[in-house]
């Protein structure tokens, strides 16, 4: 299975893993050329996205209208998918049952880890079916969704192959020159680039920042984490501190670090890797950073306190900062340019479909109501000003 298909199936698996409570209403949030985009499909997708943000960026959800923003993006994505599927039907694209089965098997592998983070391939089918049940889906209906998405993938591959030209080395060298200027902070070159195209400057700076992270000094550590939350009592927080000291004592007494991770860590998502994590210098909280980058390989830290709790780390491997040149990243830059070309081609194609389609959106968002209310208020104020102006003119 190619990378595009794996990415698609990963997204489907993430949505499937989300839980949706209550009865599914078969109303619609939009219609595309008369075909409904079902509320149930929107709800499933939206809840999956919200769960991902709750896990990875909960602070974003605290912003005003953040959920509306995500909801509008979900709706836009579903409308785009329906447009592409209708185009795939018109193009008479065929999806074989074997391709659907391959997709289902790929998704099932993502359920091979149990709720405790342990590998349990035998329980994958059970967890997969439980996830289907939570979303009020049958295997038959889920296969239909997979078939639809594979058809869309085939359509887009055909469109991209026809419209996207191969990346030329001149383009790669031009991007590298911009990135190198950002990496080495070449002020004159950066100012010239900003004058030429501010978007290119931002692109170079973002790539340079990513490269600095990837090439910075790194350390692989084993990590035991004990959470301390703001709503904990002093007694509960003290128990965590005492437990951290006890764990360190057991480790000093000969307890295997991986066994201690399995027994004590509260970072369940890290259990599958034995608590291992890669730290980039300057990125981790300063308390952890200081311990990780000063300890010799093989040594275990004393309990380290951060804003979120207690940490005990074992340094397993260190990597010095790396120097990079054109030959080191030329292939990656070429892939980046290719991806940008593909994304633009996909966006242009979907926008073209949307321009010709009959799209009616019935889903409303609070942020839209506020925008409409603000626009109405501005219109009323302008009308009032015009009336006052007209009245003044008449009085003359």
């Amino acid at each position: 299975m190619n990378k595009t298909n794996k990415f698609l199936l990963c997204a489907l698996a993430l949505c499937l893993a989300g839980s949706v409570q209550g009865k599914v209403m078969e109303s619609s949030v939009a219609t595309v050329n008369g075909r409904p985009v079902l509320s149930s499909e929107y709800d499933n997708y939206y809840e999956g996205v919200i769960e991902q943000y709750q896990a990875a960026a909960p602070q974003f959800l605290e912003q005003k209208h953040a959920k509306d923003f995500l909801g509008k993006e979900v709706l836009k994505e579903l409308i785009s998918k329906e447009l592409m599927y209708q185009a795939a039907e018109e193009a008479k694209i065929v999806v074989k049952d074997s391709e659907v089965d391959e997709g289902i098997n790929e998704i099932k592998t993502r359920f091979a880890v149990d709720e405790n983070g342990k590998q349990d391939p035998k329980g994958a089918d059970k967890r997969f079916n439980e996830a289907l049940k939570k979303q009020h889906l049958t295997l038959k209906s889920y296969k239909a969704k997979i078939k639809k998405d594979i058809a869309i993938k085939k359509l887009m591959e055909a469109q991209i192959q026809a419209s996207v030209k191969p990346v030329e080395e001149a383009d790669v060298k031009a991007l590298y020159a911009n990135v190198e200027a950002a990496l080495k902070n070449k002020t004159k070159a950066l100012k010239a680039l900003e004058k030429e195209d501010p978007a290119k400057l931002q692109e170079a700076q973002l790539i340079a920042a990513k490269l600095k992270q990837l090439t910075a000094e790194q350390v692989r550590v084993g990590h035991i984490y004990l959470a301390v939350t703001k709503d904990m009592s002093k007694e509960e927080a003290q128990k965590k501190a005492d437990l951290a000291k006890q764990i360190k004592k057991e480790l000093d007494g000969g307890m295997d670090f991986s066994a201690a991770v399995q027994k004590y860590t509260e970072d369940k998502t890290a259990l599958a890797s034995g608590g291992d994590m890669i730290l980039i210098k300057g990125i981790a909280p300063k308390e952890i950073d200081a311990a990780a980058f000063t300890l010799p390989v093989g040594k275990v830290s004393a309990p380290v306190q951060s804003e979120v709790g207690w940490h005990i780390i074992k340094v397993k491997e260190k990597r010095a900062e790396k120097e990079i040149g054109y030959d080191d990243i030329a292939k990656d830059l070429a892939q980046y340019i290719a991806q940008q070309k593909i994304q633009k081609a996909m966006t242009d194609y979907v926008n073209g479909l949307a321009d010709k389609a009959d799209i009616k959106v019935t889903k409303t968002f609070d942020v839209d109501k506020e925008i409409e209310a603000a626009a109405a208020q501005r219109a009323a104020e302008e009308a009032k000003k015009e009336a006052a102006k007209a009245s003044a003119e008449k009085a003359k």
Side-chain angles (χ1 to χ4, degrees):
M1 186 177 296
N2 62 39
K3 290 182 180 179
T4 306
N5 201 16
K6 285 188 176 182
F7 176 80
L8 172 68
L9 295 174
C10 179
L12 287 168
L14 286 171
C15 291
L16 180 58
S19 61
V20 178
Q21 304 297 327
K23 185 177 179 180
V24 177
M25 302 297 292
E26 287 303 305
S27 57
S28 65
V29 291
T31 58
V32 180
N33 295 323
R35 286 193 192 174
V37 176
L38 297 178
S39 297
S40 57
E41 186 177 8
Y42 170 86
D43 290 342
N44 286 346
Y45 196 162
Y46 174 76
E47 290 296 333
V49 170
I50 292 297
E51 285 193 8
Q52 291 173 55
Y53 271 85
Q54 285 173 337
Q59 67 280 2
F60 174 79
L61 297 178
E62 295 173 4
Q63 299 178 36
K64 188 178 181 182
H65 298 311
K67 290 186 177 181
D68 273 4
F69 169 78
L70 294 176
K72 289 168 77 71
E73 288 299 307
V74 166
L75 182 56
K76 181 180 177 181
E77 178 70 15
L78 290 176
I79 289 172
S80 296
K81 285 176 68 175
E82 181 58 37
L83 283 167
M84 289 186 285
Y85 183 61
Q86 290 181 22
E89 285 184 313
E90 189 175 335
K92 301 187 184 306
I93 288 174
V94 176
V95 178
K96 298 177 182 178
D97 289 343
S98 59
E99 293 176 292
V100 175
D101 291 339
E102 184 183 2
I104 293 290
N105 290 334
E106 171 68 18
I107 289 171
K108 282 184 179 180
T109 63
R110 304 179 191 280
F111 289 84
V113 178
D114 67 16
E115 60 277 5
N116 295 316
K118 295 182 179 179
Q119 290 290 331
D120 177 30
K122 291 182 179 179
D125 280 346
K126 181 182 177 182
R127 286 185 289 276
F128 173 77
N129 290 325
E130 286 173 349
L132 286 177
K133 189 175 180 181
K134 283 182 181 178
Q135 289 208 11
H136 309 280
L137 292 170
T138 63
L139 181 58
K140 182 179 179 180
S141 64
Y142 194 61
K143 280 187 174 182
K145 288 168 69 71
I146 296 290
K147 187 172 184 177
K148 183 175 180 178
D149 281 289
I150 293 175
I152 290 170
K153 168 189 157 297
K154 287 188 171 185
L155 171 76
M156 296 314 297
E157 284 179 344
Q159 291 297 323
I160 289 163
Q161 189 174 10
S163 62
V164 177
K165 295 180 180 178
V167 177
E168 296 182 3
E169 188 174 8
D171 295 330
V172 180
K173 287 184 175 179
L175 178 57
Y176 176 77
N178 295 341
V179 172
E180 184 185 34
L183 280 170
K184 297 182 178 180
N185 198 27
K186 295 180 179 179
T187 307
K188 187 176 179 180
L190 292 176
K191 285 183 177 179
L193 183 58
E194 183 177 25
K195 187 176 180 180
E196 176 194 341
D197 188 342
K200 285 186 177 181
L201 173 64
Q202 184 179 29
E203 176 186 56
Q205 289 174 329
L206 288 171
I207 295 173
K210 186 65 176 178
L211 285 172
K212 284 179 182 178
Q213 284 189 12
L214 294 173
T215 58
E217 184 180 352
Q218 295 182 14
V219 60
R220 181 170 66 88
V221 300
H223 180 227
I224 298 172
Y225 169 59
L226 303 176
V228 177
T229 59
K230 292 180 180 179
D231 58 351
M232 277 187 176
S233 66
K234 288 184 178 180
E235 291 77 13
E236 289 174 316
Q238 186 58 49
K239 285 181 180 179
K240 291 295 181 78
D242 292 341
L243 179 56
K245 292 177 183 177
Q246 176 193 322
I247 295 169
K248 175 62 164 112
K249 188 175 180 180
E250 291 180 15
L251 290 167
D252 289 344
M255 185 179 189
D256 179 71
F257 194 89
S258 296
V261 169
Q262 293 292 330
K263 183 176 180 180
Y264 291 115
T265 192
E266 294 175 10
D267 182 7
K268 301 300 182 185
T269 58
L271 284 174
S273 64
D276 282 12
M277 60 195 302
I278 301 294
L279 299 179
I280 299 170
K281 193 167 187 178
I283 302 298
K286 60 182 181 181
E287 302 88 354
I288 299 174
D289 206 57
F293 288 94
T294 55
L295 279 173
V297 174
K299 295 296 183 180
V300 176
S301 73
V304 176
Q305 187 176 17
S306 73
E307 291 183 354
V308 295
W310 289 94
H311 313 263
I312 300 173
I313 60 175
K314 179 179 180 179
V315 176
K316 297 188 174 183
E317 182 182 357
K318 288 190 173 184
R319 193 195 78 179
E321 183 177 1
K322 292 172 65 177
E323 291 288 334
I324 57 170
Y326 176 76
D327 291 338
D328 298 313
I329 60 171
K331 192 174 292 185
D332 293 317
L333 292 179
Q335 289 177 351
Y336 168 81
I337 294 171
Q339 187 59 46
Q340 295 300 106
K341 286 174 173 279
I342 289 169
Q343 188 60 50
K344 185 179 186 305
M346 290 175 66
T347 301
D348 290 347
Y349 178 69
V350 174
N351 287 342
L353 293 176
D355 289 341
K356 300 173 187 175
D358 177 21
I359 301 171
K360 293 183 175 66
V361 176
T362 54
K363 173 73 177 174
T364 59
F365 299 91
D366 290 340
V367 65
D368 293 331
K369 295 174 185 176
E370 287 194 19
I371 291 171
E372 289 173 6
Q377 184 177 352
R378 285 195 299 271
E381 289 172 354
E382 287 297 322
K384 188 176 179 179
K385 288 179 182 178
E386 289 296 323
K389 185 178 179 181
S391 179
E393 291 292 330
K394 188 176 181 180
K396 291 178 181 180

